PDB file of all heavy atoms in Angstrom:
ATOM      1  N   ASP A 269     138.821  56.531 144.316  1.00  0.00           N
ATOM      2  CA  ASP A 269     140.056  55.897 144.372  1.00  0.00           C
ATOM      3  C   ASP A 269     141.054  56.438 143.342  1.00  0.00           C
ATOM      4  O   ASP A 269     142.089  55.870 143.142  1.00  0.00           O
ATOM      5  CB  ASP A 269     139.992  54.436 144.238  1.00  0.00           C
ATOM      6  CG  ASP A 269     139.311  53.975 142.928  1.00  0.00           C
ATOM      7  OD1 ASP A 269     138.837  54.808 142.136  1.00  0.00           O
ATOM      8  OD2 ASP A 269     139.229  52.773 142.693  1.00  0.00           O
ATOM      9  N   ASP A 270     140.601  57.540 142.623  1.00  0.00           N
ATOM     10  CA  ASP A 270     141.565  58.161 141.676  1.00  0.00           C
ATOM     11  C   ASP A 270     142.258  59.332 142.337  1.00  0.00           C
ATOM     12  O   ASP A 270     141.618  60.375 142.631  1.00  0.00           O
ATOM     13  CB  ASP A 270     140.670  58.705 140.405  1.00  0.00           C
ATOM     14  CG  ASP A 270     141.534  59.343 139.325  1.00  0.00           C
ATOM     15  OD1 ASP A 270     142.746  59.502 139.625  1.00  0.00           O
ATOM     16  OD2 ASP A 270     140.994  59.453 138.247  1.00  0.00           O
ATOM     17  N   PRO A 271     143.549  59.218 142.650  1.00  0.00           N
ATOM     18  CA  PRO A 271     144.239  60.300 143.308  1.00  0.00           C
ATOM     19  C   PRO A 271     144.451  61.577 142.539  1.00  0.00           C
ATOM     20  O   PRO A 271     144.670  62.605 143.141  1.00  0.00           O
ATOM     21  CB  PRO A 271     145.587  59.616 143.648  1.00  0.00           C
ATOM     22  CG  PRO A 271     145.868  58.724 142.557  1.00  0.00           C
ATOM     23  CD  PRO A 271     144.387  58.139 142.243  1.00  0.00           C
ATOM     24  N   THR A 272     144.203  61.559 141.208  1.00  0.00           N
ATOM     25  CA  THR A 272     144.355  62.758 140.431  1.00  0.00           C
ATOM     26  C   THR A 272     142.978  63.448 140.217  1.00  0.00           C
ATOM     27  O   THR A 272     142.964  64.605 139.547  1.00  0.00           O
ATOM     28  CB  THR A 272     145.055  62.470 139.046  1.00  0.00           C
ATOM     29  OG1 THR A 272     144.209  61.603 138.390  1.00  0.00           O
ATOM     30  CG2 THR A 272     146.412  61.936 139.287  1.00  0.00           C
ATOM     31  N   ALA A 273     141.838  62.800 140.568  1.00  0.00           N
ATOM     32  CA  ALA A 273     140.511  63.435 140.542  1.00  0.00           C
ATOM     33  C   ALA A 273     140.381  64.618 141.481  1.00  0.00           C
ATOM     34  O   ALA A 273     140.765  64.451 142.667  1.00  0.00           O
ATOM     35  CB  ALA A 273     139.542  62.510 140.695  1.00  0.00           C
ATOM     36  N   VAL A 274     139.913  65.766 141.014  1.00  0.00           N
ATOM     37  CA  VAL A 274     139.799  66.938 141.889  1.00  0.00           C
ATOM     38  C   VAL A 274     138.519  66.977 142.679  1.00  0.00           C
ATOM     39  O   VAL A 274     138.319  67.267 143.824  1.00  0.00           O
ATOM     40  CB  VAL A 274     140.009  68.189 141.127  1.00  0.00           C
ATOM     41  CG1 VAL A 274     140.012  69.409 142.020  1.00  0.00           C
ATOM     42  CG2 VAL A 274     141.408  68.173 140.576  1.00  0.00           C
ATOM     43  N   VAL A 275     137.346  66.632 141.896  1.00  0.00           N
ATOM     44  CA  VAL A 275     136.073  66.559 142.465  1.00  0.00           C
ATOM     45  C   VAL A 275     135.391  65.239 142.218  1.00  0.00           C
ATOM     46  O   VAL A 275     135.745  64.441 141.347  1.00  0.00           O
ATOM     47  CB  VAL A 275     135.106  67.723 141.803  1.00  0.00           C
ATOM     48  CG1 VAL A 275     135.694  69.106 141.937  1.00  0.00           C
ATOM     49  CG2 VAL A 275     134.886  67.461 140.282  1.00  0.00           C
ATOM     50  N   ASP A 276     134.385  64.993 142.968  1.00  0.00           N
ATOM     51  CA  ASP A 276     133.710  63.696 142.849  1.00  0.00           C
ATOM     52  C   ASP A 276     132.475  63.819 141.891  1.00  0.00           C
ATOM     53  O   ASP A 276     132.272  64.924 141.363  1.00  0.00           O
ATOM     54  CB  ASP A 276     133.376  63.124 144.238  1.00  0.00           C
ATOM     55  CG  ASP A 276     132.398  63.990 145.026  1.00  0.00           C
ATOM     56  OD1 ASP A 276     131.694  64.895 144.372  1.00  0.00           O
ATOM     57  OD2 ASP A 276     132.208  63.808 146.159  1.00  0.00           O
ATOM     58  N   GLY A 277     131.687  62.859 141.816  1.00  0.00           N
ATOM     59  CA  GLY A 277     130.494  62.933 140.971  1.00  0.00           C
ATOM     60  C   GLY A 277     129.524  64.012 141.418  1.00  0.00           C
ATOM     61  O   GLY A 277     128.625  64.305 140.586  1.00  0.00           O
ATOM     62  N   GLU A 278     129.491  64.384 142.537  1.00  0.00           N
ATOM     63  CA  GLU A 278     128.611  65.494 143.114  1.00  0.00           C
ATOM     64  C   GLU A 278     129.321  66.837 142.975  1.00  0.00           C
ATOM     65  O   GLU A 278     128.816  67.800 143.469  1.00  0.00           O
ATOM     66  CB  GLU A 278     128.204  65.231 144.542  1.00  0.00           C
ATOM     67  CG  GLU A 278     127.276  63.974 144.642  1.00  0.00           C
ATOM     68  CD  GLU A 278     126.763  63.773 145.998  1.00  0.00           C
ATOM     69  OE1 GLU A 278     127.436  64.240 146.902  1.00  0.00           O
ATOM     70  OE2 GLU A 278     125.684  63.191 146.134  1.00  0.00           O
ATOM     71  N   LEU A 279     130.461  66.940 142.426  1.00  0.00           N
ATOM     72  CA  LEU A 279     131.274  68.071 142.078  1.00  0.00           C
ATOM     73  C   LEU A 279     131.879  68.740 143.362  1.00  0.00           C
ATOM     74  O   LEU A 279     132.351  69.865 143.334  1.00  0.00           O
ATOM     75  CB  LEU A 279     130.438  69.224 141.396  1.00  0.00           C
ATOM     76  CG  LEU A 279     129.735  68.713 140.100  1.00  0.00           C
ATOM     77  CD1 LEU A 279     129.041  69.877 139.437  1.00  0.00           C
ATOM     78  CD2 LEU A 279     130.711  68.050 139.102  1.00  0.00           C
ATOM     79  N   LYS A 280     131.920  67.968 144.460  1.00  0.00           N
ATOM     80  CA  LYS A 280     132.616  68.392 145.666  1.00  0.00           C
ATOM     81  C   LYS A 280     134.061  68.202 145.621  1.00  0.00           C
ATOM     82  O   LYS A 280     134.605  67.105 145.105  1.00  0.00           O
ATOM     83  CB  LYS A 280     132.085  67.525 146.891  1.00  0.00           C
ATOM     84  CG  LYS A 280     130.597  67.642 147.143  1.00  0.00           C
ATOM     85  CD  LYS A 280     130.079  66.851 148.322  1.00  0.00           C
ATOM     86  CE  LYS A 280     128.646  66.961 148.554  1.00  0.00           C
ATOM     87  NZ  LYS A 280     128.253  66.069 149.660  1.00  0.00           N
ATOM     88  N   VAL A 281     134.778  69.190 146.074  1.00  0.00           N
ATOM     89  CA  VAL A 281     136.278  69.142 146.009  1.00  0.00           C
ATOM     90  C   VAL A 281     136.752  68.226 147.123  1.00  0.00           C
ATOM     91  O   VAL A 281     136.307  68.361 148.280  1.00  0.00           O
ATOM     92  CB  VAL A 281     136.879  70.561 146.231  1.00  0.00           C
ATOM     93  CG1 VAL A 281     138.331  70.565 146.294  1.00  0.00           C
ATOM     94  CG2 VAL A 281     136.398  71.462 145.073  1.00  0.00           C
ATOM     95  N   ARG A 282     137.618  67.404 146.794  1.00  0.00           N
ATOM     96  CA  ARG A 282     138.151  66.370 147.689  1.00  0.00           C
ATOM     97  C   ARG A 282     138.964  67.071 148.824  1.00  0.00           C
ATOM     98  O   ARG A 282     139.818  67.996 148.438  1.00  0.00           O
ATOM     99  CB  ARG A 282     138.976  65.257 147.083  1.00  0.00           C
ATOM    100  CG  ARG A 282     138.266  64.661 146.005  1.00  0.00           C
ATOM    101  CD  ARG A 282     138.960  63.457 145.408  1.00  0.00           C
ATOM    102  NE  ARG A 282     138.313  62.844 144.255  1.00  0.00           N
ATOM    103  CZ  ARG A 282     137.228  62.072 144.356  1.00  0.00           C
ATOM    104  NH1 ARG A 282     136.751  61.857 145.459  1.00  0.00           N
ATOM    105  NH2 ARG A 282     136.685  61.509 143.201  1.00  0.00           N
ATOM    106  N   GLY A 283     138.703  66.716 150.019  1.00  0.00           N
ATOM    107  CA  GLY A 283     139.564  67.346 151.179  1.00  0.00           C
ATOM    108  C   GLY A 283     139.199  68.596 151.706  1.00  0.00           C
ATOM    109  O   GLY A 283     139.712  69.092 152.678  1.00  0.00           O
ATOM    110  N   VAL A 284     138.154  69.257 151.003  1.00  0.00           N
ATOM    111  CA  VAL A 284     137.623  70.512 151.529  1.00  0.00           C
ATOM    112  C   VAL A 284     136.137  70.463 151.563  1.00  0.00           C
ATOM    113  O   VAL A 284     135.463  70.318 150.465  1.00  0.00           O
ATOM    114  CB  VAL A 284     138.090  71.785 150.652  1.00  0.00           C
ATOM    115  CG1 VAL A 284     137.579  73.012 151.231  1.00  0.00           C
ATOM    116  CG2 VAL A 284     139.651  71.698 150.574  1.00  0.00           C
ATOM    117  N   ASP A 285     135.448  70.619 152.707  1.00  0.00           N
ATOM    118  CA  ASP A 285     134.069  70.642 152.807  1.00  0.00           C
ATOM    119  C   ASP A 285     133.489  72.000 152.364  1.00  0.00           C
ATOM    120  O   ASP A 285     134.198  72.990 152.321  1.00  0.00           O
ATOM    121  CB  ASP A 285     133.574  70.348 154.243  1.00  0.00           C
ATOM    122  CG  ASP A 285     133.871  69.021 154.756  1.00  0.00           C
ATOM    123  OD1 ASP A 285     134.000  68.093 153.941  1.00  0.00           O
ATOM    124  OD2 ASP A 285     134.104  68.810 155.966  1.00  0.00           O
ATOM    125  N   GLY A 286     132.246  72.005 151.833  1.00  0.00           N
ATOM    126  CA  GLY A 286     131.590  73.207 151.484  1.00  0.00           C
ATOM    127  C   GLY A 286     132.228  73.871 150.192  1.00  0.00           C
ATOM    128  O   GLY A 286     131.860  75.046 150.060  1.00  0.00           O
ATOM    129  N   LEU A 287     132.687  73.080 149.301  1.00  0.00           N
ATOM    130  CA  LEU A 287     133.336  73.596 148.141  1.00  0.00           C
ATOM    131  C   LEU A 287     133.067  72.770 146.937  1.00  0.00           C
ATOM    132  O   LEU A 287     133.316  71.566 147.061  1.00  0.00           O
ATOM    133  CB  LEU A 287     134.906  73.823 148.319  1.00  0.00           C
ATOM    134  CG  LEU A 287     135.748  74.415 147.218  1.00  0.00           C
ATOM    135  CD1 LEU A 287     135.195  75.852 146.972  1.00  0.00           C
ATOM    136  CD2 LEU A 287     137.198  74.382 147.608  1.00  0.00           C
ATOM    137  N   ARG A 288     132.512  73.303 145.923  1.00  0.00           N
ATOM    138  CA  ARG A 288     132.302  72.585 144.704  1.00  0.00           C
ATOM    139  C   ARG A 288     132.836  73.429 143.476  1.00  0.00           C
ATOM    140  O   ARG A 288     132.979  74.597 143.566  1.00  0.00           O
ATOM    141  CB  ARG A 288     130.761  72.320 144.377  1.00  0.00           C
ATOM    142  CG  ARG A 288     130.134  71.440 145.577  1.00  0.00           C
ATOM    143  CD  ARG A 288     128.795  70.949 145.150  1.00  0.00           C
ATOM    144  NE  ARG A 288     127.995  70.721 146.337  1.00  0.00           N
ATOM    145  CZ  ARG A 288     127.049  69.800 146.473  1.00  0.00           C
ATOM    146  NH1 ARG A 288     126.954  68.856 145.520  1.00  0.00           N
ATOM    147  NH2 ARG A 288     126.326  69.763 147.554  1.00  0.00           N
ATOM    148  N   VAL A 289     133.010  72.618 142.423  1.00  0.00           N
ATOM    149  CA  VAL A 289     133.358  73.314 141.157  1.00  0.00           C
ATOM    150  C   VAL A 289     132.153  73.030 140.139  1.00  0.00           C
ATOM    151  O   VAL A 289     131.666  71.953 139.982  1.00  0.00           O
ATOM    152  CB  VAL A 289     134.646  72.716 140.479  1.00  0.00           C
ATOM    153  CG1 VAL A 289     135.038  73.430 139.189  1.00  0.00           C
ATOM    154  CG2 VAL A 289     135.755  72.833 141.563  1.00  0.00           C
ATOM    155  N   ILE A 290     131.738  73.998 139.374  1.00  0.00           N
ATOM    156  CA  ILE A 290     130.567  73.899 138.634  1.00  0.00           C
ATOM    157  C   ILE A 290     130.701  74.377 137.195  1.00  0.00           C
ATOM    158  O   ILE A 290     129.768  74.699 136.380  1.00  0.00           O
ATOM    159  CB  ILE A 290     129.358  74.639 139.184  1.00  0.00           C
ATOM    160  CG1 ILE A 290     129.726  76.186 139.283  1.00  0.00           C
ATOM    161  CG2 ILE A 290     129.028  74.221 140.686  1.00  0.00           C
ATOM    162  CD1 ILE A 290     128.458  77.054 139.593  1.00  0.00           C
ATOM    163  N   ASP A 291     131.913  74.314 136.607  1.00  0.00           N
ATOM    164  CA  ASP A 291     132.158  74.836 135.260  1.00  0.00           C
ATOM    165  C   ASP A 291     132.810  73.680 134.423  1.00  0.00           C
ATOM    166  O   ASP A 291     132.991  72.553 134.889  1.00  0.00           O
ATOM    167  CB  ASP A 291     132.899  76.135 135.182  1.00  0.00           C
ATOM    168  CG  ASP A 291     134.340  76.016 135.827  1.00  0.00           C
ATOM    169  OD1 ASP A 291     134.838  74.919 135.913  1.00  0.00           O
ATOM    170  OD2 ASP A 291     134.901  77.097 136.261  1.00  0.00           O
ATOM    171  N   CYS A 292     133.245  74.042 133.183  1.00  0.00           N
ATOM    172  CA  CYS A 292     133.885  73.011 132.289  1.00  0.00           C
ATOM    173  C   CYS A 292     135.191  72.401 132.728  1.00  0.00           C
ATOM    174  O   CYS A 292     135.655  71.461 132.119  1.00  0.00           O
ATOM    175  CB  CYS A 292     133.997  73.683 130.896  1.00  0.00           C
ATOM    176  SG  CYS A 292     132.507  73.900 130.016  1.00  0.00           S
TER     177      CYS A 292
END
C-alpha cells in the first residue's frame, strides 16, 4: 500500500512481471 515503494518484500518490481532488483 506504499505508492512510492518500487519493489515488494520479494524484490519484485511492482507492475512488471518477471523483474526483480537485487542490489543496495
Side-chain angles (χ1 to χ4, degrees):
D269 59 357
D270 183 348
T272 63
V274 180
V275 301
D276 62 16
E278 294 184 334
L279 308 183
K280 295 178 179 178
V281 176
R282 303 188 187 283
V284 182
D285 294 331
L287 182 61
R288 300 193 207 217
V289 182
I290 61 169
D291 61 21
C292 288

